[in-house]
Amino acid sequence: MGCNTPEADGEILALLISSLTQVGLQDVRVDLGHASLLKDLMNAAGLDEQQKVSVQSLLACRDSVGLKKFMEQNNFQSGLRDAFLQLSCCRRLDEVSSISLNGSKYDRANKQLESLMELTETLKDYRIDEFVFFDFSLTKKIEYYTGMVFEASVPNLGLPIGGGGRYDNFIEKFGKLKLPATGFALEIGKLLQALTAQGFEIPEDPKTKVIVKSKFRDTAVEAVKALREAGVIASLEVTKRSLEKTMEYGKITETDYVVSVGSSLNSPVTVYDVKSNVSRDVMLQTLLEELGG
Amino acid sequence: MNKKIRIAIPNKGRLKKPAIEMLARAGIEVLEEDRAYVSRTSDPRFEAIFARANDIPVYVHYGAVDLGITGHDLILERDANVLELMDLEFGACTLVVAVPEDSPITSVAEVPALTRVATGFPNITRNFFEKRGKQVEVLEVSGTAELAPKLGLAQIIVDITSTGETLKQNKLKIIGTILESTSRLACNKIAYRTFETQITELLARMRGGSE
């Protein structure tokens, strides 16, 4: 937040790509467009809403024959026609650099093209330009984007696993502060689906799970802390239910032990094995050594 | 990555045969038409999946298949966010609103509030009447919607018709048209990026083959 430089956009894209590769995904790609470039060019061409929908669908389907025909029928100026065709054919961001339009009504579009070029250079320095593809037709249903917009995907999953873009006028709407911003969101569920589709197996968690139960809150809190520090997944029984009920809850949540703690940790604690219902008294320190080791 | 491109074909009904023929003309012959849900094709880069035409839009949307041949009406009904790469022009049909011939209703505007509508296209039907400010009760039936007025289940139906013959046989008259549909080559959005070269080539062959 607070920055509208191509470096900030580059940083966000680098973070996105490294997040996805770090979790183990392969063949990650990011498709990137510009939120208002297409809109501005369509406005410059004087298209009505219906015509805009037609152009967007021709672009999305990459139907260059259909696009050419449409532009001829709707008397696009030749410069604009070339720009549309070139942009719709660009797949790599650096191919965009050769495109510019003559005439003051294209000032905004030229500025946006320039910003894409700057972004391309930034991505090269981050060495992530290989991952990023240009998609002129990419627009978002969400209206607040003002600059780059993007979607991340892998070939094994048919839906994007994340996306985002630049939203420079959004924060202002919630107060007086005008703060440019750029960012992305990842869908954790889709990420897991994508990983699974690539053959990744989610490792079973070997950690022991314990519920600490006590009438004495201070010692219970202390015991939970010690167990967590020893690498155990420990939770505090925060309801006032009976031991029996806690054991039932432990079964549902696949907990290993319920540990009942007295007024002091200097006396033994009672450890109930949730599966076998067998209990034993043991010093907490001994239990920590058993579970933590 | 050498993943095969999966293309879904209707496993029965009026779209199946022309879909298989269309692909064959484009150089993709389905080799195991009668035996399998998944079939090899003469082009090793593609495999064919047989599925219900109704489900194909969902398969394509989620990327379970990369491409699918199915009706435009079904893509809209299943609200699938897919690319319709090509109008294959076969399987033309019209989705219509129909009432019994002896009904006093002659247009959609005359449909009274709370009328029951039987249809296999509940989403399109609901949208259609909502847009016209009509509050109707939509009953989903799978197939034979034309029976509903006879049985007193619904006063009107929304169904597809290609020749109008079935409607006539069931003494129904058309009072409105919702949409004209043909079959489409639908494509998953991510797959179009991943397999752009192969799919563009297929499209060129299909266009060439259909002339």
Side-chain angles (χ1 to χ4, degrees), chain A residues 6 17-18 33 47 55 66-67 108 111 113 125 147 162 176 194 206 208 210 212 243 248 250 254 261 279 284:
Chain A
I17 290 161
S18 66
L47 301 185
V55 167
L67 185 64
R108 274 174 64 103
K111 224 170 152 189
L113 285 167
D125 292 335
K176 286 180 182 162
T208 314
V210 169
V212 176
L243 176 66
E248 271 174 30
E254 293 179 342
V261 180
S279 69
L284 182 69

Side-chain angles (χ1 to χ4, degrees), chain A residues 27 29 31 57 60-63 65 91 135 138 141 151-160, chain B residues 1 3 60-64 66 81 83-85 188-196 203 207:
Chain A
D27 303 316
R29 67 180 278 164
D31 287 82
S57 110
C61 291
R62 305 200 163 152
D63 182 355
V65 180
R91 296 293 173 268
D135 183 349
L138 196 134
K141 277 187 188 153
E151 277 175 7
S153 60
V154 289
N156 314 65
L157 195 74
L159 297 166
Chain B
M1 210 189 54
K3 188 175 167 260
V60 178
H61 173 111
Y62 283 97
D66 304 298
N81 189 3
L83 294 172
E84 292 182 28
L85 291 183
N188 175 270
K189 290 187 168 179
I190 305 285
Y192 197 27
R193 290 174 185 160
T194 314
F195 300 116
E196 186 177 357
L203 280 173
R207 289 203 178 96

